[in-house]
Amino acid sequence: MKNIAIFASGSGTNAENIARIFNEGSRLRVAVVLTNRRNAGVIERMKPLGVPVLYVPNSVWDNDPAEVVRILREYNTDIVVLAGFMHYVSPEIIAAYQGRIMNIHPSLLPAYGGKGMYGHYVHEAVVAAGEKESGVTVHLVTDEMDKGEIILQERLTLAENETPESLEAKIHPIEYDIYPRAIVRLLERLNGGDLRDNSVAVVSTEKSELSDDTVKAAKAEPSADADEEKTVAQSWAEALGVPLPAEPAMPPIPEQPLAEQPASVEASGNVQAPSALNAQHPDHPMPPTYMLWAILATVMCCLVTGIVAIVFASQVSNKYYAGDFEGAERASRKAQIWIIASIVAGVIFTTLYMPLSMLF
């Protein structure tokens, strides 16, 4: 059995597609999903599939990557798949699984890759540049963003009236098709090919042979009338049609020192880690908290509205360091609104109530 670990931050549609394709068989499965968002949609998507999801706070990803490696080893991970994972992957994690971490990108890399190029931003840039083609690329993850070796790539032609929204709608089905095939291709190489081979597997609008026969073979159940039980290596080699290597082709995972007090995995599936502030995400600067203004508004203007402003101001950093960037922005805006409300209430109190109280 070959085990996949998925890193995901969002709704988890790609993760669900991968798990549904492979977890029906006996040779390849999604063993665990790691997410850096406590309320990520991928958590609910994995429940009916029986795939455990572990919440790993951003502070662990940034300050204790050895703990992430420990979790991956605990689940006997063979490859790591990034599926909408919106956080920095430490070089320590990449080194531990060198050549076995893959990511999917919604463009024809190396075009439209790098910092700030993800999701809808990629499609906006492609359409704005007047490109005739776009596509999807699955590549290995390295220390350089979107610079790893290409595993599979598929193209599509843009319509004359293409919009970022229509392009995104065309890209998603390609992602669901190409990612499982890329997973099989990488495992094929790791188990029977030469990892030093720099050849790039590229497919255009025509599907690779891996699309049907190899993927079906990879998820097929063993024959019921087999004379004796085959080893995992033999079954996998036969499914992929490659020779059985004399020695394991998978590079060994280097030993990594573990933290003195590693995070513990509770029965709920959450990873409890020591509290620590993570480094700011380079693509998502933290919005202003307005905490000082909220305190001043409470003391000098209006107690009730000021307290509400303080509550929202405190939520900005909490949501940001939990990876909820949109929630942090909403909390910042609400804090600003309640500060203004507090000031207005204070002005009304000073200009109306105080003179009336002096007269009566």
Side-chain angles (χ1 to χ4, degrees):
M1 176 69 71
K2 297 297 178 181
N3 294 321
I4 301 170
I6 294 180
F7 294 172
S9 299
S11 63
T13 54
N14 253 321
E16 180 184 21
N17 180 61
I18 293 169
R20 287 189 182 278
I21 287 177
F22 293 120
N23 282 30
E24 296 176 0
S26 61
R27 295 175 181 173
L28 178 62
R29 65 166 182 168
V30 175
V32 66
V33 174
L34 274 61
T35 181
N36 65 321
R37 298 186 65 174
R38 192 183 298 273
N39 298 317
V42 70
I43 298 173
E44 292 300 320
R45 289 184 182 275
M46 291 298 108
K47 284 182 179 179
L49 302 177
V51 177
V53 181
L54 305 182
Y55 164 63
V56 182
N58 287 335
S59 57
V60 175
W61 294 96
D62 294 328
N63 304 319
D64 191 13
E67 175 61 18
V68 177
V69 175
R70 185 195 69 79
I71 296 172
L72 294 176
R73 288 188 184 139
E74 181 180 339
Y75 284 87
N76 298 317
T77 301
D78 293 292
I79 63 171
V80 177
V81 174
L82 273 58
F85 186 63
M86 299 299 295
H87 197 72
Y88 177 68
V89 179
S90 167
E92 187 172 349
I93 300 173
I94 296 174
Y97 283 83
Q98 187 70 39
R100 288 186 283 166
I101 304 180
M102 59 199 309
N103 186 33
I104 192 166
H105 189 78
S107 77
L108 296 174
L109 292 178
Y112 303 99
K115 183 177 180 180
M117 285 289 100
Y118 63 92
H120 195 72
Y121 297 108
V122 176
H123 308 311
E124 289 179 345
V126 169
V127 172
E131 297 285 356
K132 301 299 182 183
E133 283 189 328
S134 188
V136 178
T137 304
V138 180
H139 62 94
L140 294 178
V141 175
T142 64
D143 292 342
E144 296 184 88
M145 185 179 295
D146 297 331
K147 294 293 181 67
E149 178 188 348
I150 294 173
I151 302 172
L152 282 177
Q153 193 172 75
E154 190 161 334
R155 301 172 179 271
L156 66 84
T157 302
L158 273 66
E160 293 185 0
N161 60 342
E162 201 75 72
T163 65
E165 292 75 20
S166 63
L167 178 57
E168 186 173 19
K170 293 178 181 178
I171 287 291
H172 282 317
I174 298 177
E175 290 179 339
Y176 300 150
D177 174 75
I178 193 176
Y179 221 172
R181 292 190 284 126
I183 291 170
V184 172
R185 176 66 59 86
L186 179 60
L187 282 169
E188 176 185 12
R189 289 175 50 184
L190 292 176
N191 285 270
D194 187 351
L195 290 178
R196 294 168 295 182
D197 183 5
N198 292 323
S199 62
V200 178
V202 180
V203 294
S204 60
T205 53
E206 295 183 0
K207 300 296 184 290
S208 163
E209 293 180 357
L210 292 174
S211 178
D212 297 318
D213 296 340
T214 309
V215 172
K216 289 178 181 178
K219 59 185 286 190
E221 296 289 343
S223 175
D225 58 354
D227 294 334
E228 58 181 7
E229 185 177 359
K230 299 175 182 178
T231 65
V232 172
Q234 289 173 330
S235 299
W236 187 251
E238 289 182 9
L240 296 175
V242 298
L244 181 66
E247 296 181 359
M250 187 73 70
I253 302 175
E255 292 296 327
Q256 299 289 339
L258 299 179
E260 294 182 1
Q261 295 181 341
S264 59
V265 181
E266 293 186 348
S268 62
N270 289 346
V271 176
Q272 303 299 324
S275 59
L277 295 181
N278 66 303
Q280 289 193 358
H281 195 286
D283 296 324
H284 297 276
M286 186 169 72
T289 64
Y290 300 110
M291 180 59 76
L292 179 59
W293 283 100
I295 294 174
L296 291 175
T298 303
V299 175
M300 302 180 63
C301 299
C302 181
L303 178 63
V304 176
T305 53
I307 291 176
V308 176
I310 290 176
V311 171
F312 283 116
S314 64
Q315 290 180 356
V316 175
S317 58
N318 291 337
K319 290 180 179 293
Y320 178 81
Y321 289 117
D324 186 3
F325 306 124
E326 295 181 358
E329 292 178 357
R330 288 195 298 270
S332 178
R333 290 194 296 269
K334 290 180 180 179
Q336 188 178 20
I337 291 172
W338 281 99
I339 289 171
I340 295 173
S342 182
I343 294 174
V344 170
V347 170
I348 293 175
F349 177 82
T350 304
T351 56
L352 296 180
Y353 178 77
M354 291 297 291
L356 292 174
S357 63
M358 294 177 64
L359 291 176
F360 298 101

